[in-house]
Amino acid sequence: MVKPVNLKQISAQKELLSPGHRMCAGCVAAIIARQVLHAAQLTGYDFVVINATGCLEVATTIYPYTAWRVPWMHNAFENAASTGSGVEAAIRALKRKGILKKDIKVIIFGGDGGTYDIGFQALSGAIERGHDFLYICYNNEAYMNTGIQRSGATPLGAWTTTSPVGKAKPGKTEHRKDLPLIIAAHGAAYTATANPAFFMDLMTKVQKGIEIEGPAYIEMYSDCNRGWRHDTGVGIKVAKMATETRIWPLYEVEGKFRNFKINYKPSKKVPVEEWIKLQGRFRHLFKEENRWIIEEIQRAVDENWERLLKLEETFGKK
């Protein structure tokens, strides 16, 4: 049963991601990990964490230290879902044999590079097979751990080291993939987007993802001040603006569009430019010759919002 997010109760919980790790100052991925682990404790289940190579892994487990106070397993960039599938299958086998008496849940963390791109095949297969796990994609919109290279999640127009800004190209020339809807189309038991700036929504969704039977996928907006080129203390401000401008809408899907719900509808339309101007990776878009990219981003955001409204109208519970 999903429990209300009670801040007093959460403040009394044990921190399962210990302080003293080496994530960058202001890193939102660390905030996400803490919120996920606190929400997981609300369910009452024991759980094991699977962690793909990436910022969250390398900066929390520098040998011989670890910041994780739960059973934890590292795997390569591309096989987090495969590892999680194996662990989940082992838990089921031990329960069938009577060796294990309690339910143990599997939580997987992967960045956008290890999820959108090089790990997508493993994730797609694991969802098709119906493994019971919660997959968390902390999406910082590039391969931040290896040098800020563009990924399939990098937005149109963004500067990265492999989508540089110059006379030939004004940053990344493609829109990002819409992975949450791709996962929902697979028929995952539960699919959602979340934002740590809206932490009660995030933590409620984590509980749902853990408690539902079958594969669950939640994609979380993970600001990276190093790659996005802004001050360390404004990550949550940038994240909140992403949802207010509808560049990062919050919604959830049960099954293969059995139910679709938009969780937050901004009271007014805020131009995406308000989000763009907070980040140095988009600074070049304000040159006259590049202003069309801002207009194209706005067009795509408006089109996507209308698509989500139609999905809710068609598949939302009446």
Side-chain angles (χ1 to χ4, degrees), residues 39-107:
Q41 291 180 74
L42 291 175
T43 66
Y45 287 108
D46 290 338
F47 53 92
V48 58
V49 170
I50 312 297
N51 200 174
T53 299
C55 294
L56 186 61
E57 177 268 322
V58 300
T60 58
T61 58
I62 297 175
Y63 183 81
Y65 305 105
T66 179
W68 297 90
R69 291 169 169 163
V70 293
W72 179 93
M73 181 179 292
H74 167 234
N75 49 261
F77 269 113
E78 68 275 9
N79 64 335
S82 297
T83 304
S85 298
V87 172
E88 186 267 346
I91 291 169
R92 283 190 286 111
L94 291 172
K95 290 188 69 176
R96 281 198 307 270
K97 294 177 180 179
I99 298 172
L100 185 64
K101 303 298 183 183
K102 59 184 178 181
D103 291 327
I104 298 176
K105 296 294 185 174
V106 176
I107 301 174

Side-chain angles (χ1 to χ4, degrees), residues 196-214:
F198 297 79
F199 65 91
M200 296 185 75
D201 175 77
L202 182 152
M203 297 176 80
T204 299
K205 288 172 175 174
V206 169
Q207 291 185 73
K208 289 181 180 180
I210 289 173
E211 294 187 358
I212 199 165
E213 186 175 346

Side-chain angles (χ1 to χ4, degrees), residues 236-246 270 274-275 278:
I236 293 298
K237 176 183 178 181
V238 176
K240 187 174 190 299
M241 186 58 71
T243 295
E244 295 293 347
T245 58
R246 302 171 183 172
V270 182
E274 296 301 308
W275 171 78
L278 297 174

Side-chain angles (χ1 to χ4, degrees), residues 165-180:
V165 175
K167 293 181 180 179
K169 290 185 178 182
K172 186 171 180 253
T173 55
E174 305 86 14
H175 286 286
R176 68 187 180 199
K177 286 190 286 191
D178 195 342
L179 190 56

